Amino acid sequence: MKSRNILSLKYFALIVGGLLVVAAPVLAGPPLICHAIDIGSEQSLPWTSTAWNLSGQEQYDVSRLVPDTLALLTPRTSVLLRMETLRRATLYGQQRTAVAKELLLRLEARTQENPKDALAAFDFGYLVECYKQASWLHQHTDWLKASGDAAGANLATKIDGYSWVLKAITLRGSDPQMEFAAALMTTDGARSEHDRHLQNAMAGAKADAMLARNLSSRFPKSAA
């Protein structure tokens, strides 16, 4: 009887340990918006909070969000800076649904005006997935509930942003920073797709110190 109890305890411990491992990524939060992208000294949208979320003390005029964001998304803007800019735009946009919707429509329009523009495809797809993760946060946490305006988080639920990022990668030919973005998008998806994107990003990080820092922060075991 004693040996059977010991085995039962060991079995229980293994189950609990397994659950903790599975739960860990969920507790960390949606990767596109709950963790800032390291952009070094590059300039993005104004940001004063020391946390991932808005502190409520920001003085930024959200009515300027669309022109300010578009002005930052130039052909010379790195993909990592685009990712952080769109993350911040998502968080600011949740304060005002009309602004969040306008930004989404403007980025979608750029893909229609320039169907072979890899950066336009990337920006639209990445913003879509940021909005989706904002929607997930609203549904599963208390985030946004106090503001009384969560409609902005639900704008992109029927759009496949990942497919737009894949299109961008195809149009670009080879872009390790885009592969990093795709790896973040597929952390809960097909393992083979995630691993492929991560390996491509790691290969390119050998010549990209900023990408290497982001990989080390997000995927420490793989980047080691």
Side-chain angles (χ1 to χ4, degrees):
M1 176 67 74
K2 185 175 181 179
S3 61
R4 181 179 297 178
N5 288 338
I6 292 174
L7 287 173
S8 297
L9 286 172
K10 288 182 177 180
Y11 181 68
F12 176 75
L14 287 171
I15 291 176
V16 171
L19 287 174
L20 288 174
V21 170
V22 171
V26 177
L27 293 174
L32 301 190
I33 59 173
C34 284
H35 303 275
I37 299 296
D38 182 352
I39 57 174
S41 60
E42 293 190 76
Q43 297 299 308
S44 181
L45 293 170
W47 193 259
T48 57
S49 175
T50 57
W52 70 270
N53 198 6
L54 300 174
S55 66
Q57 304 300 315
E58 288 79 10
Q59 301 300 313
Y60 179 64
D61 181 1
V62 179
S63 67
R64 291 201 48 80
L65 183 64
V66 174
D68 286 354
T69 301
L70 293 177
L72 285 163
L73 301 178
T74 72
R76 298 180 63 181
T77 303
S78 71
V79 171
L80 290 175
L81 180 53
R82 304 177 100 84
M83 292 165 68
E84 178 59 15
T85 297
L86 293 170
R87 185 189 77 88
R88 296 181 186 185
T90 297
L91 296 173
Y92 279 128
Q94 302 313 311
Q95 298 179 336
R96 198 172 303 175
T97 300
V99 173
K101 183 177 182 180
E102 182 185 355
L103 179 59
L104 185 70
L105 292 176
R106 290 290 293 276
L107 291 190
E108 182 180 25
R110 294 200 317 171
T111 67
Q112 297 169 350
E113 295 164 3
N114 304 287
K116 294 185 178 181
D117 186 339
L119 292 175
F122 178 85
D123 293 341
F124 178 56
Y126 199 81
L127 185 69
V128 163
E129 293 305 310
C130 283
Y131 279 15
K132 284 184 179 180
Q133 292 194 4
S135 178
W136 184 95
L137 272 179
H138 172 64
Q139 293 173 26
H140 296 89
T141 71
D142 291 332
W143 187 60
L144 289 181
K145 290 182 179 178
S147 71
D149 183 9
N154 301 316
L155 292 171
T157 53
K158 296 182 180 180
I159 306 172
D160 185 358
Y162 174 60
S163 68
W164 280 97
V165 171
L166 288 182
K167 178 180 179 179
I169 292 173
T170 300
L171 289 171
R172 194 81 156 173
S174 175
D175 191 312
Q177 292 190 5
M178 285 189 181
E179 296 283 1
F180 170 60
L184 290 177
M185 289 182 179
T186 52
T187 52
D188 293 326
R191 191 68 196 180
S192 60
E193 292 178 349
H194 172 74
D195 289 346
R196 172 169 52 83
H197 292 308
L198 186 55
Q199 290 299 320
N200 289 340
M202 289 172 61
K206 296 175 182 178
D208 186 338
M210 190 176 293
L211 175 58
R213 291 201 304 271
N214 278 282
L215 282 166
S216 179
S217 173
R218 298 300 189 92
F219 306 104
K221 293 182 179 179
S222 298

